[in-house]
Amino acid sequence: MARRVGERPLAVGALLVVALEALVASLSVGAPWLSLTALVLAPGLALAPLLPARVRTSPVATLACAPALGIAASSVLLVSLSSAGASLDGAVVRIALAAMVLVGLLLPWPEADRPPERADLPVAGGLLAALALGVLLQQQVIGGDPIPGNDWAKYLLYADEIAAQGELLIDNPFWMLGVPFREDPAVPALYGAFLSLSGEPASVLTHGIWVFAVISILSVFAFTRAFWGDLAGVIAAGLWAVLPISHDILGWHGAPNLAAICLLPAVLAYLTEMAVGGSARLGNGRGGLEWGEIVGFALFLVAVVATHRLSALVAGMTLVVGLAVGAARGRARSIARDLGWTAIVVAALAPGIAYDLIERARTFGGTQGYQAYLTTKVNLGPLVGDLTVVFTVLAVAALALAVRWSGRDRAIVTLLCLLAVIVALAYSWILEIPVAYFRMAYFLPLVLAPLVAVALARLLRPPQAVAAGGVVAVAIAALAWSQAGNVRDFYAFTSRASLRGLDAVSAELHPGEVVVTDRCWSFQAAWLLRTRTLAALEPEDIQPKAELRLARQARAVLDGTPEGLAVARRLDVRYLLVDPTCTDARSRPLKPPAVGTPLFVSKRLVVLRLPSA
C-alpha cells in the first residue's frame, strides 16, 4: 500500500484536499475555494486513471481534464445518493468525496504518473495564457454584481432548497404558484452540495457558471492535445477562450449547457479511441479501450445525461454516427466488444440517475411540438457575428482541409461526425423534431476550434503556428471585448435601480402573495422576492408542457383580458413586474401590460398595481 500511495501523487493530493476541507469545516472556518476544490478537482485527480490513455500521456493534459472528470464523478454520485434516500448534507457529501478518493488510490495506473518535465513548461504557459485571456473576457460579461441573465436565479433558488432540505426531488414553492423543480439534476446537485460544504449563502452561486467557463477551456485543450499534440491543444484552447459565442452563453446563464460542454471533449476522446483503436498505438495490445477507459467513458456518458438533456442527445447521436463509421472501416468486432462492456458499466452507474430523471418526467405533462420552437431557428448572420468573420473564414478553410485529411487521420472523423449531428439537429425542424434549434450553435466551437488549431499546426512551422495562433486569438479577443459589453447590456435585466424597485415591492408583499411577471423578470422575481410567481414565458422558453397553461394565464393577466382579470382576482394579484425593453424569441418588443397603474419606473423594471387591488 505504501508503494501504491507513493506512485499516485495525484490521488494522495486529492486525499489531502478532502481531509483538509473536512478539518477546516470542523473548525467552523469558511473556506469556499477549498470546498470547491474538494468537490470538483479532488475526485478528478484521484480518478485520473479513468481518463483516456492519450490524455494521460501528458501531465498537463491530465491536470487539465481532471476538473471535468471531477464534475462527472461528483454529480453522478450525488444524484445517485439522493435517489437512494441519502441526505445531501455536509457530512454525507464529505464521506462520499472521501470514498471516491480512496477508490482512486486503489485503481491500477497503466503507466507511471510522471511529474511535469521541462518540456511541459511552454505548454503549461500557453494554456495559462489562454485561461487568462478567457477569464479577462468572461469578466466583461459576468464580472461584478448584479450579473446579467435571468436563468441564474432558478439555479440559486434550487440550490438553496437542496441545502435546506438535503434532497433533489423537491417542490419549488415559488415558481408558477408552486411546482416541482424540473431542472436537470447534475448542476443543482453540485451547487447544493457546495452550499452544504461551505456554509456560504446561495447568492455566492451567481458566479457559479464561471467555474464551468474556465473548465471548458481546459477540456478543449485536453482533447485537442490528445490527438494532435501540444501546439494544437494550446491554440484550440486559446480560440475557444476568446470566441464571443462562448461568452454569449454566459450572458443568459446557461449553466447546465456549459457544464455539459465541459464533459463533451472527454466523451469525444473516448469515442475516438474506441472508433479508431488509438490505444493500440500506445501499446495496450487490444486495439480498443482499456478497462479504466471503459469505466471512465461510462461515467462521462451518465454524467452528460444527468447534466443537460440536449447535450445528451448530441452526445448520443455522435456516438452512434462515430461508431458506425468506425465499424464500416473494419473495426466492428473491437467496437462491439468495447461498446458492450461500456453498456454494462453504464447500467451499473445509471440507476440513480435514471430514477431521478424518470421521477422528474412524471410531472412534465409531456413536451411541446416542434411548432413551439420554430422561432428559434438558426440565423446565419448573427451566428457569423458570434463566431467573428475572422474565425469563420479560418473555420471554413480548416473544414475543407479536414475533409481531405480525414482519410488518413481518423481522429478528425469524430469531429466531422459531431459537426454532422450539430447541423442535423439545427435543421431538425424539417423532420418536426422539437429542440431549441439555435442552441446547437453553442456546440460548433467544439468542432471548429480544434480544426482551425490542427490546420495551423500542420501547415506552419511551430514558431509560425504559435505566432499565427496568437495573432488570431488577439484579433478575435479585440472583437469579443466590445461584443462582451453588448452581451452584458442585452441581458442586464437586474440593475441597482431595478433592485430598489423590487425592495419596495418586497416590503409590501403579504406571505404567499402572487406576483405576475413577463419573461425577463420571471426567475429573478421568484428568487429575489421569495413569493409565488406567475410568469408569462414564451412557448419556446418552456420545456415542461405542464407550465404552458400557467404561462398563458400570466400573459392573459398582463394583456388585461377577461380571463386574465378573472385569474388576477382569484389569486388576489396586486403587482405586475415587467421589463420595458423585454423582447420575444424573435427579438421583437413585447406588448406593454394593458392594465395597472405604474408605481415604479426604471430602464429595466416597471412595477404596476392592478386597479382592483
Side-chain angles (χ1 to χ4, degrees):
M1 176 58 72
R3 182 175 60 84
R4 182 182 292 271
V5 169
E7 293 175 350
R8 289 160 176 75
L10 295 184
V12 172
L15 183 61
L16 291 176
V17 167
V18 172
L20 180 60
E21 193 280 333
L23 175 61
V24 170
S26 69
L27 299 175
S28 300
V29 177
W33 281 104
L34 187 57
S35 297
L36 176 64
T37 303
L39 183 63
V40 173
L41 183 57
L45 294 176
L47 300 176
L50 305 183
L51 290 172
R54 287 180 175 273
V55 171
R56 298 196 309 267
T57 59
S58 164
V60 178
T62 299
L63 292 174
C65 205
L69 177 57
I71 289 173
S74 290
S75 60
V76 169
L77 182 58
L78 291 171
V79 176
S80 298
L81 286 173
S82 181
S83 295
S87 174
L88 298 183
D89 57 41
V92 171
V93 174
R94 289 186 178 94
I95 292 172
L97 294 175
M100 277 196 294
V101 171
L102 290 175
V103 168
L105 282 171
L106 299 176
L107 287 175
W109 190 284
E111 64 276 329
D113 184 11
R114 71 174 180 88
E117 299 173 351
R118 180 173 297 182
D120 297 311
L121 295 181
V123 181
L127 181 57
L128 289 175
L131 287 172
L133 195 55
V135 169
L136 182 63
L137 292 170
Q138 293 155 10
Q139 164 77 21
Q140 289 293 104
V141 180
I142 57 173
D145 289 303
I147 66 167
N150 184 31
D151 287 15
W152 58 267
K154 64 180 179 180
Y155 301 119
L156 266 64
L157 180 57
Y158 195 3
D160 203 28
E161 293 296 318
I162 292 170
Q165 302 183 42
E167 300 178 43
L168 293 178
L169 294 172
I170 53 180
D171 289 340
N172 185 337
F174 307 123
W175 180 245
M176 291 297 190
L177 309 181
V179 296
F181 281 105
R182 297 185 173 113
E183 286 73 31
D184 295 313
V187 169
L190 291 171
Y191 276 10
F194 171 77
L195 296 181
S196 297
L197 290 175
S198 66
E200 293 288 312
S203 58
V204 74
L205 294 173
T206 53
H207 293 95
I209 193 174
W210 210 334
V211 175
F212 301 128
V214 171
I215 294 175
S216 68
I217 300 172
L218 297 172
S219 296
V220 169
F221 163 79
F223 166 69
T224 309
R225 185 266 161 208
F227 295 95
W228 298 288
D230 294 327
L231 178 55
V234 170
I235 295 174
L239 292 174
W240 176 275
V242 300
L243 285 175
I245 197 169
S246 299
H247 309 142
D248 184 65
I249 197 171
L250 302 177
W252 56 269
H253 208 93
N257 199 161
L258 190 52
I261 286 175
C262 294
L263 306 179
L264 287 178
V267 172
L268 296 177
Y270 290 113
L271 170 59
T272 303
E273 290 204 355
M274 182 186 289
V276 305
S279 294
R281 301 176 189 174
L282 301 178
N284 75 350
R286 292 196 315 115
L289 296 183
E290 302 165 351
W291 291 111
E293 289 179 297
I294 288 173
V295 176
F297 191 20
L299 179 62
F300 271 98
L301 289 175
V302 174
V304 171
V305 172
T307 303
H308 190 240
R309 64 198 67 197
L310 179 59
S311 299
L313 178 62
V314 172
M317 290 180 64
T318 305
L319 179 66
V320 171
V321 176
L323 294 183
V325 173
R329 294 191 172 191
R331 292 195 42 78
R333 179 174 298 181
S334 175
I335 287 173
R337 180 180 61 241
D338 288 345
L339 190 59
W341 283 113
T342 302
I344 291 173
V345 179
V346 166
L349 295 175
I353 305 298
Y355 173 79
D356 183 285
L357 295 177
I358 291 170
E359 288 299 307
R360 288 174 195 274
R362 293 183 191 278
T363 69
F364 264 56
T367 57
Q368 300 181 80
Y370 81 103
Q371 298 93 337
Y373 302 100
L374 289 178
T375 57
T376 68
K377 293 179 183 179
V378 176
N379 190 324
L380 294 180
L383 175 58
V384 171
D386 283 342
L387 292 173
T388 72
V389 175
V390 174
F391 182 78
T392 301
V393 172
L394 290 174
V396 171
L399 181 59
L401 291 170
V403 172
R404 179 181 176 184
W405 291 333
S406 61
R408 65 179 186 272
D409 185 350
R410 296 187 179 182
I412 285 180
V413 174
T414 299
L415 292 179
L416 297 181
C417 291
L418 175 58
L419 179 61
V421 168
I422 292 170
V423 173
L425 288 175
Y427 291 92
S428 60
W429 51 268
I430 298 174
L431 300 177
E432 302 184 1
I433 298 174
V435 296
Y437 308 109
F438 76 92
R439 292 198 178 180
M440 300 312 302
Y442 296 110
F443 299 96
L444 273 178
L446 285 177
V447 177
L448 301 181
L451 289 184
V452 172
V454 171
L456 291 176
R458 284 186 175 176
L459 297 177
L460 302 174
R461 295 177 180 177
Q464 295 172 331
V466 170
V471 169
V472 171
V474 170
I476 296 174
L479 298 172
W481 181 269
S482 59
Q483 194 160 328
N486 295 335
V487 169
R488 185 182 183 101
D489 290 342
F490 182 79
Y491 291 109
F493 308 124
T494 309
S495 64
R496 298 192 184 281
S498 59
L499 287 175
R500 287 197 299 271
L502 288 178
D503 287 341
V505 172
S506 180
E508 298 296 325
L509 289 176
H510 305 314
E513 185 170 351
V514 177
V515 298
V516 175
T517 76
D518 61 8
R519 68 191 296 243
C520 290
W521 275 103
S522 52
F523 301 118
Q524 292 186 91
W527 162 249
L528 295 171
L529 295 177
R530 292 302 185 101
T531 196
R532 293 193 298 162
T533 303
L534 193 62
L537 298 181
E538 296 288 302
E540 47 272 81
D541 298 329
I542 299 172
Q543 286 185 335
K545 194 174 181 179
E547 294 182 5
L548 186 60
R549 178 182 61 84
L550 296 168
R552 287 172 174 167
Q553 288 182 352
R555 185 72 258 170
V557 172
L558 295 178
D559 290 341
T561 67
E563 176 194 358
L565 294 177
V567 169
R569 287 192 296 270
R570 175 168 58 84
L571 297 176
D572 194 23
V573 176
R574 292 191 297 161
Y575 297 106
L576 311 179
L577 308 179
V578 297
D579 180 350
T581 68
C582 195
T583 61
D584 63 15
R586 296 181 180 179
S587 297
R588 300 175 304 185
L590 291 174
K591 292 189 302 181
V595 293
T597 302
L599 297 180
F600 177 87
V601 179
S602 69
K603 180 181 178 181
R604 302 307 295 259
L605 173 66
V606 172
V607 179
L608 302 126
R609 181 157 181 157
L610 290 182
S612 59

